[in-house]
């Protein structure tokens, strides 16, 4: 078993470069299934969720070659199967994108129910509603989703919930459908826009991504043949912004899209941190104890749920009493029990938590319950007095490339050891 040993406290100072976005890459890789040809993807994060997505495509007959540390060449001319292996799809959430992509390209798909972080109930009813509206028959049984259609025909779809996954999945299924599809109440996250940009680069005709109404004019085929660079990871950039504030440090974050983080920038300034934007870099520093805040997580452009635990660490040592209301997931406060082991004073109940700011945290053995909880606990270990041992690293490795090396470059005393 691997663990991270972190000795703190450290004030983080220096520069860090952000990788490609996990949540864009894990959608774009399945989206390549729609191409009758090849494509090259750049800025692909080398993380375990990406590696599993690629392995699944290989099992479907796709030819894939890494041609650089973050560049992959994909040939989807021939697809030999529409059945994604169940043991692989159950390992991560984004395997649900295989459904929309295989349905769109081949007219049928069999994919295991998706796994991923345990954040409470994670239904896919809106994905299924979209596929059915396009004319597919969908059956969920024995842990599998089976979808098939003799033809997919464009239509108007209203999503009952703003869902990143359903928006992208319906977009995938509609790209090669006959006629025009509209998705109303669509998610507006940067990775939704990135998937649409990727598909358009390969020959699709999608308009309005980034607004709540997306229009997809079906095309006969995607020829591919192009190179596409995955958008920088908004959540990784936000993680380092919050690490700068929590450690009262000074970090310049390169290769990011600052406007994707407007909402976090505003909150950081509200609690006493400083943010300076220069092109695709964000300079964040904080020279005093952050002050209390009230946070509510919401779909983009609201405060992202995927930065809620990292913000929770900042508020656990802020001056005063803070409140976080989680607006997306039922169960995203599991990290607060771990922070309390480190001396925090947090009361979480349902989808709300109250943070009584303490002067400092102390190192302790703690367990990552999910990906972002893991990132938050790394930050907590860095600012805490003494040694923190962090377990369950498989969650962190799903979504952050070289995370301990990046923190080490900023001065953190952090080592991965195998027990
Ligand atoms: C994506 O999950 C991200 N994952 C999550 O990131 C992120 O937390 C989430 O969006 C919200 O931003 C990927 O992109 C792979 P949703 P997704 O569908 O698409 C409800 C991380 O840490 N809902 O936008 O699965 C759902 O229960 C991860 O990187 C339905 O009711 O989330 C939730 O309350 C964790 N029916 C809300 O909508 C559906 O059919 C938003 O979920 C679909 C969703």
């Amino acid at each position: 078993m691997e663990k991270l040993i972190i000795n703190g406290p450290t004030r983080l100072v220096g520069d860090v470069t952000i990788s490609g976005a996990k949540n864009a890459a894990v959608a774009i890789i399945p989206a390549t299934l729609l191409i009758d040809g090849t494509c090259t993807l750049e800025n692909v994060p080398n993380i375990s969720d990406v590696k599993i997505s690629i392995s699944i495509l290989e099992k479907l007959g796709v030819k894939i070659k890494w041609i650089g540390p973050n560049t992959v060449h994909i040939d989807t001319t021939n697809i030999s199967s529409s059945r994604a292996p169940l043991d692989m799809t159950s390992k991560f959430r984004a395997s649900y994108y295989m459904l929309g992509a295989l349905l769109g390209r081949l007219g049928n798909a069999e994919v295991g129910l998706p796994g991923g972080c345990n954040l409470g109930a994670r239904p896919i009813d809106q994905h299924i509603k979209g596929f059915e509206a396009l004319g597919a028959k969908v059956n969920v049984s024995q842990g599998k989703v089976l979808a098939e259609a003799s033809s997919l025909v464009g239509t108007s779809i209203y999503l009952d919930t703003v869902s990143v996954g359903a928006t992208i999945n319906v977009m995938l299924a509609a790209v090669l459908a006959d006629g025009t599809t509209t998705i109303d109440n669509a998610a507006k996250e940067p990775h939704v826009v990135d998937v649409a940009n990727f598909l358009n680069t390969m020959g699709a005709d999608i308009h309005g991504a980034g607004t709540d109404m997306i229009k997809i004019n079906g095309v006969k085929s995607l020829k591919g043949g192009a190179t596409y660079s995955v958008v920088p990871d908004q959540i990784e950039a936000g993680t380092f912004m919050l690490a700068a504030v929590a450690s009262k440090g000074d970090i310049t974050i390169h290769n990011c899209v600052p406007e994707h983080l407007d909402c976090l920038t505003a909150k950081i300034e509200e609690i006493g941190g400083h943010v300076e934007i220069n092109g695709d870099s964000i300079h964040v520093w904080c020279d005093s104890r952050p002050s209390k805040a009230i946070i509510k997580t919401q779909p983009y452009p609201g405060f992202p749920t995927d930065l809620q635990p990292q913000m929770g660490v900042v508020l656990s040592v802020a001056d005063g009493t803070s409140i976080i209301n989680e607006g997306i997931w039922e169960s995203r406060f599991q990290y607060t029990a771990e922070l309390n082991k480190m001396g925090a004073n947090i009361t979480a109940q349902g989808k709300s938590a109250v943070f009584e700011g303490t002067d400092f945290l102390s190192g302790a053995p703690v367990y990552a319950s999910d990906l972002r909880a893991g990132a938050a606990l790394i930050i907590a270990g860095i600012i805490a007095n003494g040694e923190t041992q962090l377990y369950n690293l498989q969650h962190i490795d799903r979504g952050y490339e070289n995370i301990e090396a990046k923190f080490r470059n900023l001065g953190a005393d952090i080592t991965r050891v195998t027990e």
Side-chain angles (χ1 to χ4, degrees):
M1 193 208 304
E2 288 187 324
K3 65 178 176 183
L4 288 177
I5 297 184
I6 309 167
N7 280 293
T10 302
R11 179 173 179 260
L12 297 173
V13 178
D15 295 68
V16 63
T17 299
I18 297 307
S19 300
K22 166 185 107 74
N23 287 343
V26 295
I28 288 174
I29 291 165
T32 64
L33 289 166
L34 292 163
I35 300 170
D36 189 8
T38 63
C39 70
T40 301
L41 298 179
E42 296 175 338
N43 206 30
V44 179
N46 202 332
I47 51 176
S48 68
D49 272 10
V50 160
K51 289 182 201 155
I52 300 176
S53 305
I54 285 180
S55 303
I56 295 176
L57 258 60
E58 285 174 330
K59 294 274 181 202
L60 301 175
V62 174
K63 293 198 170 49
I64 302 188
K65 197 169 171 203
W66 286 92
I67 54 175
N70 296 100
T71 305
V72 68
H73 184 261
I74 303 183
D75 182 350
T76 38
T77 312
N78 297 308
I79 300 174
S80 54
S81 170
S82 60
R83 291 175 157 197
L86 301 193
D87 56 329
M88 295 168 96
T89 54
S90 62
K91 288 205 172 104
F92 72 125
R93 182 73 186 161
S95 55
Y96 51 37
Y97 293 132
M98 304 287 166
L99 274 172
L102 286 168
L103 186 62
R105 172 81 183 270
L106 302 175
N108 63 84
E110 181 183 309
V111 176
L113 282 170
C117 287
N118 174 16
L119 308 172
R122 298 188 75 173
I124 57 165
D125 57 297
Q126 297 303 302
H127 305 231
I128 293 173
K129 170 179 159 172
F131 299 151
E132 287 177 340
L134 288 165
K137 283 204 167 58
V138 185
N139 191 358
V140 183
S141 73
Q142 298 177 325
K144 289 183 282 195
V145 186
L146 289 116
E148 57 184 334
S150 49
S151 66
L152 294 168
V153 180
T155 186
S156 301
I157 296 160
Y158 176 85
L159 296 180
D160 300 327
T161 311
V162 179
S163 159
V164 171
T167 302
I168 294 178
N169 231 344
V170 173
M171 203 157 72
L172 295 179
V175 162
L176 301 177
D178 290 333
T180 297
T181 301
T182 54
I183 307 173
D184 200 353
N185 201 25
K188 298 182 276 220
E189 269 68 1
H191 31 291
V192 174
V193 178
D194 206 43
V195 177
N197 287 343
F198 163 76
L199 290 166
N200 283 342
T201 304
M202 299 300 146
D205 187 6
I206 303 171
H207 303 262
T211 73
D212 53 16
M213 170 73 89
I214 300 180
K215 184 173 165 194
I216 305 132
N217 296 316
V219 295
K220 290 273 173 259
S221 67
L222 297 189
K223 294 285 174 233
T227 296
Y228 188 81
S229 186
V230 175
V231 72
D233 197 310
Q234 167 208 15
I235 302 302
E236 189 195 4
T239 300
F240 283 102
M241 289 171 78
L242 289 165
V245 177
S247 70
K248 298 197 202 82
D250 187 330
I251 304 180
T252 303
I253 299 152
H254 301 282
N255 186 37
C256 54
V257 185
E259 52 269 36
H260 291 168
L261 289 145
D262 281 351
C263 153
L264 180 62
T265 296
K267 271 292 161 195
I268 287 178
E269 289 176 336
E270 192 182 305
I271 62 176
H274 307 280
V275 181
E276 210 173 59
I277 290 165
N278 187 3
D280 68 354
S281 298
I282 309 180
H283 177 199
V284 184
W285 73 103
C286 186
D287 22 45
S288 55
R289 188 178 182 190
S291 56
K292 64 185 178 178
I294 293 183
I295 308 278
K296 168 141 181 73
T297 68
Q298 287 174 323
Y300 187 84
F303 192 96
T305 174
D306 294 346
L307 288 173
Q308 189 259 96
Q310 301 88 314
M311 180 54 114
V313 176
V314 172
L315 299 182
S316 72
V317 291
D319 188 11
T321 304
S322 301
I323 296 173
I324 299 183
N325 289 307
E326 169 58 42
I328 311 291
W329 299 118
E330 277 169 14
S331 186
R332 204 156 207 178
F333 284 119
Q334 296 170 70
Y335 70 94
T336 59
E338 303 305 294
L339 282 186
N340 284 346
K341 288 184 197 164
M342 300 177 75
N345 183 359
I346 309 165
T347 310
Q349 198 169 32
K351 290 169 86 175
S352 299
V354 177
F355 295 69
E356 301 288 353
T358 54
D359 289 338
F360 59 89
L361 299 177
S362 304
V366 287
Y367 293 79
S369 54
D370 60 73
L371 169 61
R372 308 303 171 187
L377 291 170
I378 292 180
I379 300 172
I382 288 169
I383 65 170
N385 294 327
E387 182 180 287
T388 293
Q389 301 189 12
L390 173 56
Y391 296 88
N392 285 353
L393 304 189
Q394 73 281 6
H395 292 302
I396 300 169
D397 294 338
R398 290 190 27 228
Y400 287 93
E401 184 176 45
N402 296 331
I403 191 162
E404 65 258 33
K406 288 183 182 185
F407 275 116
R408 213 177 291 124
N409 281 342
L410 296 168
D413 179 351
I414 175 169
T415 323
R416 186 180 288 242
V417 296
T418 304
E419 273 191 334

